[in-house]
Amino acid sequence: SEQGIKTISHVNNIPKLKERLEAIQMKLPWIETMDVTVDLKVPTEEMKLVINDNFKQEMLFYKQSQIGAQQSIARLKSLGITTQRPEDFFAEMVKSDEHMKRIKEKLISKQLTMERTE
Amino acid sequence: KGKKKKGVDVANPVKKMTWTNKQRALVFAARGITFHARHLMNDLKVLMPHAKSDSKLERKEGLYAINEICEMKNCNMTMFFEMRKKLDLFMWLSMVPNGPSARFLVQNVHTMDELRLTGNHLKSSRPLLTFNKAFDEQPHLSLIKEMLKQMFATPNMHPKSKPFYDHVLGFTYLDGRIWFRNFQITDQTEGSLVEVGPRFCLWLIKIFSGSFSGNVIYENPNYKSPNQYRTELKIAASHRYKAKAE
């Protein structure tokens, strides 16, 4: 077979990529984007295990968001911004009450089947 | 020199913040997307109070027409979905009108409708964004990071946003793909999270210097089109059959 002989050169125009990045970057205060870069410092060997394990992968995503959220909340507080919603503040949620009810029902029925099998 | 001190206003010691960052994103799709893809798009729109929508793009109009549509809608960026064979979902991110733009294959889609994600948060509260370090290690990823940041960040004091912080979006570059997660912050002091959804994963195909135009400035060497992938699977299956028959 001819596999391995075929060489396709893929474009990776680094100067142009950098130029485009500079062109779109906006000098905005942090509060406009509230972004954080999290360095999870996972060793390369362990990373291979993470890629092949769905649960470990999800844990990694969770940890990144958890660390990032804590940093951002602290930063917002240091800027004197209220972060927490007051208990009596009601507003529309992304998932409706009806949808949340269905989620709850499913959780309960799942628990029941678990108990039955035990 | 030095008479005006920056940021200090005697009459108003606390500087009143106003809506100055007027970023708008057009989120829409080409005709021919399935209901599942449409649900994902609608979920993302719910997460982006600064998003505008438009009717589906007709096939014959061509991608370049998107730039004009954005201009008419006063949008400076767009997230555009298209589907091939009612099977493979592609996403475009583009900064209008000068670019760059990027095309991705969207994989592992789970929408908010699914019942196993138990989190919930305020509609149109501004998200906190998190990226992992890997985005800063290659020029094309830094560019994608900036585009994602501008796309998903809701401008401060946006009239449709709410002033509380109860969810966090995670973008993780892992195994050559960008993984998207949305979590509710259930406890701010302990930092415990519950996933809300949607979930998806982006596989970068190409980056173009312009908006739906211009030269290719990055091409993913590991990308394999879904058609190619399916063909390879078929060939592998036929090899198995041949080996059995012999």
Side-chain angles (χ1 to χ4, degrees):
Chain A
S1 78
E2 282 179 17
Q3 272 180 353
I5 300 166
K6 219 167 42 176
T7 50
I8 310 161
S9 64
H10 290 273
V11 185
N12 187 10
N13 189 341
I14 291 172
K16 192 75 185 162
L17 287 165
K18 286 185 174 165
E19 189 250 312
R20 296 313 290 147
L21 174 61
E22 229 167 87
I24 62 165
Q25 260 168 346
M26 294 189 300
K27 305 276 175 290
L28 291 173
W30 175 79
I31 187 71
E32 292 294 339
T33 52
M34 303 191 293
D35 62 301
V36 192
T37 304
V38 179
D39 187 1
L40 285 169
K41 296 196 180 80
V42 184
T44 325
E45 283 307 304
E46 217 178 298
M47 210 51 163
K48 280 177 196 155
L49 297 175
V50 170
I51 288 165
N52 294 315
D53 185 328
N54 269 337
F55 181 74
K56 279 186 182 155
Q57 205 168 290
E58 290 306 323
M59 278 315 291
L60 189 86
F61 302 153
Y62 181 94
K63 238 198 257 168
Q64 178 194 317
S65 284
Q66 188 183 35
I67 295 168
Q70 274 178 311
Q71 284 177 8
S72 292
I73 292 285
R75 194 158 171 187
L76 285 166
K77 280 184 178 152
S78 77
L79 289 169
I81 293 165
T82 327
T83 52
Q84 202 118 34
R85 167 165 69 118
E87 292 284 324
D88 57 351
F89 182 92
F90 292 104
E92 198 183 346
M93 308 291 279
V94 287
K95 291 177 186 171
S96 64
D97 289 345
E98 199 199 327
H99 185 82
M100 291 309 285
K101 211 177 110 195
R102 277 195 290 142
I103 291 174
K104 223 176 234 170
E105 278 165 9
K106 202 195 169 189
L107 269 179
I108 292 168
S109 77
K110 218 177 181 181
Q111 247 168 8
L112 281 176
T113 46
M114 286 264 279
E115 275 164 24
R116 255 181 246 139
T117 48
E118 261 168 23
Chain B
K1 193 185 165 188
K3 267 187 184 171
K4 270 188 187 170
K5 272 187 192 168
K6 254 187 197 169
V8 178
D9 189 338
V10 185
N12 277 320
V14 181
K15 208 175 157 194
K16 246 193 175 174
M17 278 192 269
T18 48
W19 180 38
T20 49
N21 174 19
K22 307 255 165 125
Q23 297 253 72
R24 287 184 191 91
L26 186 66
V27 180
F28 75 130
R31 202 161 283 288
I33 66 166
T34 59
F35 81 97
H36 196 237
R38 198 181 63 239
H39 278 208
L40 172 70
M41 183 177 80
N42 289 338
D43 284 354
L44 292 176
K45 260 194 256 177
V46 165
L47 297 181
M48 298 162 69
H50 56 298
K52 285 196 169 191
S53 35
D54 197 47
S55 51
K56 287 182 188 137
L57 187 80
E58 298 293 340
R59 282 264 168 82
K60 62 178 184 220
E61 279 186 276
L63 290 176
Y64 197 75
I66 296 170
N67 291 327
E68 277 169 46
I69 297 169
C70 285
E71 213 173 307
M72 278 193 295
K73 288 263 174 180
N74 275 327
C75 292
N76 63 329
M77 52 196 169
T78 182
M79 182 189 286
F80 175 73
F81 292 90
E82 58 176 350
M83 215 155 192
R84 294 287 156 86
K85 295 185 170 180
K86 295 238 174 202
L87 200 62
D88 308 314
L89 179 65
F90 295 91
M91 181 205 267
W92 281 88
L93 292 181
S94 178
M95 313 309 281
V96 180
N98 299 321
S101 50
R103 189 169 188 246
F104 305 88
L105 177 69
V106 188
Q107 299 173 303
N108 295 1
V109 175
H110 296 272
T111 63
M112 257 191 235
D113 286 346
E114 287 173 33
L115 295 177
R116 60 200 181 89
L117 303 176
T118 54
N120 198 2
H121 61 76
L122 276 176
K123 201 170 182 173
S124 58
S125 58
R126 299 178 59 223
L128 308 174
L129 307 183
T130 70
F131 294 87
N132 68 337
K133 198 85 191 335
F135 278 97
D136 298 338
E137 283 156 9
Q138 290 182 72
H140 67 279
L141 292 177
S142 303
L143 183 59
I144 295 296
K145 178 186 176 185
E146 183 64 29
M147 289 168 79
L148 289 170
K149 199 165 97 179
Q150 294 190 23
M151 192 68 65
F152 282 95
T154 303
N156 191 21
M157 308 304 270
H158 189 284
K160 279 188 195 162
S161 69
K162 296 201 182 74
F164 305 109
Y165 304 87
D166 61 352
H167 73 121
V168 50
L169 303 183
F171 298 91
T172 313
Y173 185 76
L174 181 74
D175 194 22
R177 288 163 175 79
I178 298 160
W179 304 78
F180 174 95
R181 294 291 183 270
N182 176 28
F183 296 99
Q184 173 195 4
I185 304 168
T186 47
D187 189 322
Q188 290 195 351
T189 41
E190 278 178 39
S192 45
L193 310 175
V194 179
E195 191 173 347
V196 182
R199 277 181 179 190
F200 60 89
C201 162
L202 296 174
W203 199 8
L204 178 63
I205 306 167
K206 276 177 190 173
I207 303 176
F208 300 86
S209 67
S211 177
F212 301 99
S213 64
N215 296 329
V216 174
I217 53 174
Y218 179 82
E219 199 180 352
N220 188 353
N222 302 314
Y223 174 72
K224 198 178 276 177
S225 80
N227 283 338
Q228 202 183 338
Y229 178 72
R230 282 188 289 264
T231 315
E232 280 175 18
L233 276 186
K234 266 185 206 161
I235 291 171
S238 78
H239 281 331
R240 260 204 309 280
Y241 172 74
K242 271 181 200 159
K244 256 188 193 171
E246 278 165 16

